[in-house]
Amino acid sequence: MSKNKTAGYRGHHSYQKRKEAEARSFIRYRCGFTNTIQDVLRQRPGWVEVKEDEEWDFNWCDVGWLRENFDHSYMEEHVRICHFRNYYELTRKNLMVKNLKRYRKTLEREVGHVEAAKCDFFPCTFELPSEYHLFVEEFKRNPKSTWIMKPVARSQGKGIFLFRKLKDIMDWKKDGSRLEEQRDEAQVESYVAQRYIENPYLIGGRKFDLRVYVLVSSYLPLKAWLYRDGFARFSNTRFSLSSIEDQYIHLTNVAVQKTAPDYDPERGCKWPMQQLRRYLTAKHGAHAVETLFRDIDNVFVHSLQSVQKVIINDKHCFELYGYDILLDQDLKPWLIEVNASPSLTPSSQQDYEMKCHLLEDTLHVVDMEGRLTGREKQVGGFDLMWNDGPVSRENSGLETLGSSCFSPNTNLGKHWLTDIQWRRRFTVASFWLTCLFPGFQVVSMTEKTSYDTSKSCLARRAHDRLLLNVLN
Amino acid sequence: MDEDVGVNIIIAQVCQRLKGSHLHSHLEKQAKECLHRPEIKLECIKDDVRSFLKETGWERKLQNAVYRELHTLPPPSHTVAPPEHTKEPLSYMRKAQACWEKRILKSLNSMCTELGVPLARKRPVREQKDLVHKWTEMGTNEPDLSNFRPVYAPKDFLEMLISLRNANHDSSDEASCKSHWGLIQVPLNVKNIPEMRKVFVELGLGTSQLGIDDNIHITPDLFENEHVRLGKRVVSEQDSAAAQQYSRQGCPTGLRATLWALILNCGNDLEDVMRYEQLKSGVIHHDLLVDSLIYKDVKLTASNDDYYFVFEDYLYQILLCFSRDTTVLEHFIYNSATPPKSSVQGKQGTEEYALVYPPNGVIPFHGFSMYVAPLCFLYNEPSQLYRIFREMYVRYFFRLHSISSSPSGIVSLCLQFEKLLQIHLPQLFYHLREMGAQPLRIAFKWMVRAFSGYLATDQLLLLWDRILGYDSLEIVAVLAAAVFAFRAENLMEVTSLAAAEAVLADLSTLKVMPLLQIFLFATVI
């Protein structure tokens, strides 16, 4: 298969990229981290690390670097960087809430109440101190409810606490320890007060939240990919509303859980998404779980749409977000927060492998090597969730007869990583074959056995299935 | 003539079992109440009542109850055979079981004396109140269990099985190619592959099933959708026998809980809830030594499991109640084991003061809690979870740690495993044997737990679907052999037991059904 032949199937854009990459014959990268991402970049064939002051084609930077250097750097067309300039419109809690509220109002005005109601996935939130009076009004309307106070810009569960009485905030304002924190920060820190979800879904008496990965390759038009893997993070202690002070019960971040007295690092308190999905299916049936996961897709899409016009779109930028979702007992998903720099530090061997695959697939989607056509609906573990419009699972060309036939192109938690890993073993072949024959699907074969008869038998069955797939 | 007599005896036995049960009283009540209905005529009262019961689903419930009894009915025996023959016909097995029981009871008693802990004691009121308060969070207790050790581990039981010999069997011939290479040296009849192909027909290459034909790359229209539709039909018909047949091709995740409850005929009626509450109050009032053993076991096994750690609290709630459930004693009629007895302090030797200890007659061993852990995935209502576990124990799990000649008993499973390996993978077996790595030493721990904790949860549940579907544990032995066949290439290169253990340490990525199918139906005979 000569290069020229395949280049002919490419869009102009990736053809350009390929030409430039060929001219250079390797891709220069910078990486601001020393964990999993560093391993992934190092192992990628044809990628070399460059030093501080050298030119780079790809930069996996931290947000500090972005803040200081983005505005001063000139980037050629092919260069890629892993953040959008004003990512914080989505990830800082007060800005996200503001954008979501505004988007909801727009929807209500332009489309209608039903569509706007789809944005009701974030709990009632107020920014403090600016919306203090609005907050007090809402608080007094429901005096029995619990609220959670979160600092706007911090992560890993730091500075968060729960309260039920206004008196608690007064005390907190006057609290000496907070003043000390303020001395470290240059400015007054903003907080958000959010209604606490008092009926979270519990498994084994424990509260958990979901970490899901969404990759945005562009905002205008909005192109977002959903990763099939993710995990549920469990709190080590049993949930009860009676002990608000016990931070360990209510916060499920691994960072917080690690400091809890009965944390066992060997055990880890995570379930892979597939395990959770199967558990929920066994409890509630396939239909309820399908609905739940569609609602979760809805959370991603609407949250991204709400900042679509605010984020400065830049073709050099892409971003991998870590979404934190909480489920309540009615199987309704709530958006807790979005992270622009989701933790890449692994908590176990399994976790490390998952994150490696996540990052590898992210780099596949970013496609510095110019191998993709641009028409893919699935790359590695990423499914194209939104491409300036909903993406359906069916092959393009079929008319969808109304929304009842529409099945979204997402597979969160449906299939095991090992099934996906089989795609990797055929990656080289399948990459080329997928490019040549759109719609070609690699059939998963069970692992090699030492029986000759069973091998040929397997091969025969695989052949039949392959035919069926291609014909369908 | 003999057959009729046999059937009559069975009918009489089943009737006796069902008489006085809750179902019986419900049926009577329903029959009495329906007399008020206008469609019941005095002239044909019997038929009318019968058809009424049929329409309202009560006949189906009775059918399911009879079906359940047939499962646990001991095989028919000669009229003058003593009851111990119902438990276990072979005398050498009975002797071995009795010897084993003496050993573990001795171990339990000596632990008791060493630690100075009584076998049972009444809890002080404060402790009772505490326990009620913390009933759903017993996992947060941190009792000092450092001095407790499990009464026995599967390894010890294996040594016992290895020493089993049939005195009537002449094994004095020189070792030849016909002799058995494995550790189990008793002449039990176990099925070979051609026989199993006839039994496990639904696992054949031509039949679709879950675990294979619900793969991501196969459109669900080919099999999965239809199978789910059929499953929903079975559930709506509430037919135990149909559910069991259906389960042979696997149960869909969303229907599995209901289907298993149907197969095991376990509802979640008021009676079940009340029974569970009774057991719970038993736990609150008295503390048993076995409770500490259970705690220790859960902390050592399930709490350290990547998936089951979440269910720690449920495990205590189920297992502590299980040890106090005297209805479990009924299964000793067909179990070769006998419940251990111990005496009240100061009254040793007197028969009338000998009590069964623990009350359910089952002494937990290392890994026992893993029988319950996968079930937590399906049921979270404690009373229902308890019913299901109890039923699974008295039908299947008890066979995995008692010495008997039953085809589902652990001895037969071990022998079957070794024979399958010797016949179909002789090179591998010989090599491992030469390296001092007898395959059974590795596979035993899988089989004793029915693979719980070794396979991924969804794969394990697919395996247990088939155990329920075929009402037999033989599939566990076949899977063990299939795993060895799968990793044969790597195993041929090992040079020690430790290396072999390392090759077979991680089974969590295995797909159970393709392995079983290939081993049973694609092996050259």
Side-chain angles (χ1 to χ4, degrees):
Chain A
M1 235 169 285
S2 74
K3 288 192 181 143
N4 288 333
K5 205 172 179 181
T6 51
Y9 284 86
R10 296 283 184 279
H12 173 75
H13 175 62
S14 45
Y15 175 76
Q16 279 291 89
K17 270 202 276 181
R18 253 202 85 75
K19 276 285 167 218
E20 284 159 9
E22 275 171 33
R24 211 174 358 266
S25 84
F26 54 80
I27 294 169
R28 304 164 294 187
Y29 74 85
R30 284 258 306 262
C31 179
F33 297 88
T34 52
N35 52 22
T36 322
I37 179 65
Q38 181 68 270
D39 297 340
V40 170
L41 287 167
R42 211 178 305 134
Q43 284 166 13
R44 206 164 169 85
W47 287 49
V48 284
E49 189 168 9
V50 292
K51 290 197 273 288
E52 270 287 327
D53 39 355
E54 289 179 30
E55 271 189 31
W56 47 267
D57 306 311
F58 182 89
N59 191 352
W60 191 281
C61 62
D62 60 77
V63 293
W65 186 96
L66 189 84
R67 241 196 325 263
E68 285 167 29
N69 298 294
F70 190 92
D71 296 327
H72 316 301
S73 330
Y74 168 69
M75 291 189 281
E76 292 176 44
E77 196 179 314
H78 70 276
V79 165
R80 292 288 176 271
I81 192 166
C82 70
H83 286 293
F84 282 90
R85 179 67 187 88
N86 57 343
Y87 65 91
Y88 42 77
E89 293 285 345
L90 184 59
T91 59
R92 275 178 74 122
K93 299 171 188 62
N94 56 342
L95 295 176
M96 178 188 82
V97 162
K98 189 176 75 168
N99 287 316
L100 269 170
K101 279 186 185 168
R102 193 193 54 233
Y103 175 69
R104 191 189 191 291
K105 276 207 194 85
T106 316
L107 268 186
E108 180 132 30
R109 203 175 48 231
E110 290 177 9
V111 185
H113 191 69
V114 173
E115 195 62 27
K118 289 192 185 161
C119 292
D120 290 337
F121 49 75
F122 63 99
C124 191
T125 312
F126 297 98
E127 192 177 338
L128 300 180
S130 51
E131 292 179 324
Y132 184 73
H133 297 290
L134 289 168
F135 161 66
V136 171
E137 246 184 76
E138 181 64 38
F139 186 92
K140 288 191 176 147
R141 235 176 278 163
N142 302 294
K144 297 246 173 61
S145 50
T146 315
W147 291 76
I148 183 166
M149 192 75 93
K150 301 185 194 180
V152 150
R154 282 195 267 170
S155 61
Q156 299 191 326
K158 299 192 198 107
I160 297 186
F161 65 93
L162 297 166
F163 62 95
R164 279 212 183 107
K165 301 197 271 282
L166 277 175
K167 180 170 110 43
D168 293 332
I169 319 184
M170 306 299 181
D171 293 341
W172 164 74
K173 262 195 193 161
K174 294 186 199 128
D175 189 9
S177 61
R178 189 171 165 266
L179 291 170
E180 213 176 289
E181 286 166 14
Q182 271 191 285
R183 270 186 228 123
D184 297 338
E185 316 274 313
Q187 71 262 6
V188 175
E189 197 172 17
S190 267
Y191 274 72
V192 290
Q194 195 177 63
R195 184 167 291 131
Y196 185 66
I197 295 162
E198 296 183 35
N199 62 338
Y201 194 94
L202 301 176
I203 296 183
R206 290 171 216 235
K207 185 173 158 178
F208 66 95
D209 78 352
L210 307 179
R211 164 51 61 94
V212 189
Y213 296 100
V214 175
L215 173 63
V216 176
S217 34
S218 116
Y219 270 99
L220 290 169
L222 181 60
K223 194 164 184 184
W225 304 75
L226 178 64
Y227 197 64
R228 292 179 178 186
D229 267 346
F231 43 88
R233 298 177 294 204
F234 285 90
S235 144
N236 242 2
T237 39
R238 284 47 166 181
F239 181 80
S240 111
L241 280 175
S242 52
S243 48
I244 298 191
E245 285 79 43
D246 193 340
Q247 194 195 58
Y248 301 114
I249 300 180
H250 299 284
L251 301 175
T252 50
N253 296 61
V254 178
V256 171
Q257 293 301 319
K258 273 186 173 157
T259 55
D262 52 340
Y263 178 73
D264 178 8
E266 292 301 308
R267 185 212 303 170
C269 30
K270 289 186 191 177
W271 262 13
M273 191 62 77
Q274 292 81 353
Q275 187 81 352
L276 178 76
R277 191 169 178 144
R278 278 187 171 71
Y279 177 89
L280 291 175
T281 310
K283 284 281 148 53
H284 302 279
H287 184 71
V289 172
E290 279 289 331
T291 313
L292 166 66
F293 279 85
R294 281 209 198 187
D295 290 342
I296 293 179
D297 288 348
N298 176 58
V299 170
F300 304 138
V301 168
H302 280 280
S303 59
L304 291 172
Q305 281 180 325
S306 71
V307 293
Q308 191 179 8
K309 303 215 171 80
V310 180
I311 295 234
I312 303 164
N313 193 45
D314 188 336
K315 63 170 185 281
H316 302 109
C317 303
F318 69 91
E319 207 151 19
L320 179 68
Y321 295 112
Y323 271 76
D324 291 342
I325 307 270
L326 184 70
L327 301 181
D328 71 11
Q329 278 174 2
D330 305 317
L331 283 190
K332 178 181 155 70
W334 294 89
L335 177 61
I336 301 300
E337 74 168 341
V338 186
N339 288 291
S341 312
S343 162
L344 299 174
T345 319
S347 58
S348 72
Q349 179 62 26
Q350 208 180 24
D351 195 48
Y352 176 75
E353 282 170 20
M354 196 271 275
K355 286 180 173 150
C356 274
H357 291 133
L358 170 69
L359 294 167
E360 276 168 21
D361 288 337
T362 306
L363 297 177
H364 288 329
V365 173
V366 171
D367 194 29
M368 300 284 307
E369 297 91 343
R371 289 187 288 206
L372 302 180
T373 63
R375 288 196 302 270
E376 286 84 5
K377 288 207 284 196
Q378 184 233 323
V379 176
F382 276 109
D383 290 305
L384 184 60
M385 173 173 60
W386 190 269
N387 189 9
D388 203 20
V391 181
S392 94
R393 199 193 296 275
E394 269 75 55
N395 286 327
S396 53
L398 282 172
E399 295 298 326
T400 46
L401 311 157
S403 57
S404 56
C405 283
F406 177 78
S407 55
N409 185 40
T410 53
N411 293 294
L412 182 60
K414 264 201 186 166
H415 312 300
W416 286 98
L417 187 67
T418 41
D419 287 350
I420 299 174
Q421 273 176 325
W422 275 103
R423 286 183 167 268
R424 269 176 241 292
R425 287 176 215 224
F426 299 121
T427 290
V428 175
S430 68
F431 244 120
W432 291 113
L433 289 167
T434 332
C435 302
L436 289 174
F437 307 110
F440 178 88
Q441 285 184 355
V442 176
V443 173
S444 151
M445 291 167 67
T446 51
E447 296 170 64
K448 193 163 74 110
T449 71
S450 58
Y451 277 74
D452 285 331
T453 43
S454 50
K455 242 195 241 171
S456 57
C457 171
L458 254 183
R460 241 180 301 119
R461 289 178 78 206
H463 180 67
D464 293 335
R465 300 231 172 98
L466 178 58
L467 271 176
L468 279 168
N469 268 324
V470 171
L471 292 172
N472 283 358
Chain B
M1 176 56 190
D2 276 326
E3 246 187 64
D4 280 342
V5 171
V7 169
N8 285 338
I9 293 178
I10 291 176
I11 294 175
Q13 275 176 321
V14 174
C15 282
Q16 197 179 26
R17 294 260 326 148
L18 290 179
K19 245 196 190 73
S21 70
H22 283 129
L23 183 63
H24 187 197
S25 47
H26 276 304
L27 277 170
E28 273 188 1
K29 199 167 123 198
Q30 282 293 316
K32 282 198 190 120
E33 276 173 15
C34 85
L35 291 175
H36 296 300
R37 300 174 76 89
E39 59 262 25
I40 310 289
K41 307 265 182 289
L42 198 57
E43 308 85 66
C44 46
I45 189 170
K46 249 192 182 172
D47 296 318
D48 280 344
V49 173
R50 253 206 206 113
S51 46
F52 171 76
L53 288 176
K54 197 172 190 166
E55 276 156 33
T56 47
W58 281 99
E59 199 204 23
R60 183 52 59 77
K61 289 201 181 124
L62 179 61
Q63 211 173 0
N64 290 344
V66 170
Y67 196 62
R68 189 262 168 201
E69 293 306 323
L70 288 176
H71 271 119
T72 52
L73 214 57
S77 50
H78 198 270
T79 39
V80 294
E84 55 210 28
H85 281 236
T86 322
K87 291 157 72 71
E88 174 50 51
L90 300 179
S91 66
Y92 73 91
M93 293 262 180
R94 283 201 303 268
K95 284 207 187 78
Q97 175 67 21
C99 177
W100 171 246
E101 280 165 11
K102 259 210 228 56
R103 267 177 65 183
I104 51 180
L105 195 58
K106 201 161 139 212
S107 169
L108 185 66
N109 279 329
S110 69
M111 192 190 329
C112 188
T113 2
E114 241 180 70
L115 298 174
V117 177
L119 284 177
R121 69 176 176 97
K122 193 163 164 66
R123 284 189 219 269
V125 177
R126 246 209 77 176
E127 203 184 311
Q128 287 184 26
K129 276 213 183 85
D130 264 343
L131 191 54
V132 171
H133 200 58
K134 280 198 127 186
W135 179 254
T136 49
E137 321 178 325
M138 280 188 276
T140 51
N141 285 347
E142 296 290 325
D144 179 18
L145 300 169
S146 46
N147 293 329
F148 287 94
R149 1 161 254 287
V151 178
Y152 66 95
K155 265 206 304 258
D156 310 315
F157 189 51
L158 178 59
E159 293 305 322
M160 183 75 206
L161 296 184
I162 292 172
S163 65
L164 269 179
R165 291 288 182 275
N166 182 355
N168 289 338
H169 183 233
D170 183 11
S171 48
S172 58
D173 293 337
E174 286 294 322
S176 68
C177 60
K178 284 215 189 126
S179 63
H180 189 59
W181 293 346
L183 296 170
I184 306 290
Q185 295 289 339
V186 288
L188 288 176
N189 197 17
V190 292
K191 294 194 181 75
N192 55 14
I193 287 195
E195 285 165 351
M196 284 199 282
R197 282 184 185 174
K198 293 202 189 98
V199 172
F200 297 116
V201 164
E202 291 85 355
L203 299 184
L205 291 169
T207 323
S208 306
Q209 50 203 292
L210 294 182
I212 299 177
D213 296 276
D214 54 339
N215 191 277
I216 33 168
H217 302 290
I218 303 171
T219 60
D221 290 330
L222 282 177
F223 167 68
E224 204 179 344
N225 287 346
E226 187 51 44
H227 193 64
V228 172
R229 249 192 301 264
L230 188 59
K232 288 190 178 136
R233 266 284 300 279
V234 171
V235 168
S236 66
E237 291 290 317
Q238 285 289 297
D239 188 340
S240 252
Q244 182 168 342
Q245 178 66 30
Y246 177 80
S247 169
R248 293 180 182 188
Q249 286 175 282
C251 297
T253 317
L255 296 174
R256 184 175 276 126
T258 352
L259 283 166
W260 282 21
L262 199 51
I263 298 173
L264 298 168
N265 200 33
C266 294
N268 199 21
D269 316 330
L270 199 56
E271 287 102 17
D272 297 317
V273 178
M274 274 173 49
R275 176 105 195 99
Y276 179 73
E277 291 298 318
Q278 247 179 344
L279 292 170
K280 180 175 159 184
S281 65
V283 178
I284 309 267
H285 285 117
H286 287 91
D287 178 30
L288 302 178
L289 174 66
V290 286
D291 291 351
S292 306
L293 295 175
I294 289 169
Y295 258 98
K296 182 100 190 182
D297 185 44
V298 173
K299 289 276 185 224
L300 283 177
T301 54
S303 298
N304 279 327
D305 189 286
D306 282 337
Y307 295 136
Y308 300 130
F309 70 89
V310 176
F311 302 123
E312 192 184 339
D313 296 332
Y314 281 128
L315 296 176
Y316 298 122
Q317 293 173 44
I318 299 304
L319 288 167
L320 293 180
C321 289
F322 182 66
S323 26
R324 286 153 178 80
D325 191 351
T326 48
T327 60
V328 175
L329 294 173
E330 286 166 6
H331 91 287
F332 285 106
I333 299 173
Y334 50 87
N335 185 358
S336 62
T338 318
K341 287 209 168 70
S342 108
S343 32
V344 174
Q345 206 163 33
K347 296 200 163 54
Q348 280 92 337
T350 354
E351 192 52 47
E352 60 226 39
Y353 285 101
L355 299 163
V356 172
Y357 183 88
N360 70 343
V362 180
I363 297 181
F365 56 90
H366 176 64
F368 193 83
S369 56
M370 293 308 282
Y371 289 141
V372 191
L375 300 174
C376 296
F377 216 71
L378 300 173
Y379 307 97
N380 58 356
E381 184 54 54
S383 53
Q384 192 182 21
L385 176 59
Y386 179 76
R387 269 290 267 139
I388 297 280
F389 167 64
R390 206 197 75 109
E391 190 64 24
M392 295 236 9
Y393 184 82
V394 302
R395 279 209 210 182
Y396 307 110
F397 296 147
F398 76 90
R399 298 202 191 274
L400 296 172
H401 48 268
S402 53
I403 305 177
S404 78
S405 58
S406 155
S408 273
I410 188 70
V411 185
S412 302
L413 295 183
C414 290
L415 186 61
Q416 190 163 27
F417 163 72
E418 289 185 326
K419 278 209 165 140
L420 286 172
L421 226 54
Q422 184 171 346
I423 294 172
H424 301 286
L425 296 159
Q427 220 182 356
L428 176 66
F429 201 149
Y430 190 78
H431 171 78
L432 288 174
R433 215 167 140 253
E434 291 297 293
M435 295 299 135
Q438 275 277 2
L440 187 59
R441 289 202 187 277
I442 304 170
F444 189 70
K445 55 185 185 291
W446 304 337
M447 293 195 284
V448 165
R449 283 199 203 165
F451 281 91
S452 170
Y454 295 105
L455 296 174
T457 317
D458 57 326
Q459 295 299 314
L460 181 78
L461 293 173
L462 286 169
L463 178 70
W464 286 16
D465 280 342
R466 273 61 176 203
I467 293 180
L468 287 171
Y470 290 101
D471 193 34
S472 140
L473 288 160
E474 285 165 313
I475 200 96
V476 170
V478 180
L479 180 61
V483 171
F484 271 76
F486 182 58
R487 299 238 169 122
E489 257 180 66
N490 290 348
L491 284 169
M492 283 304 287
E493 290 169 20
V494 302
T495 50
S496 68
L497 177 59
E501 298 256 19
V503 170
L504 294 165
D506 182 14
L507 307 183
S508 56
T509 51
L510 293 183
K511 298 273 183 268
V512 158
M513 297 317 300
L515 284 181
L516 284 171
Q517 206 176 52
I518 290 173
F519 194 80
L520 283 173
F521 293 93
T523 309
V524 175
I525 311 260

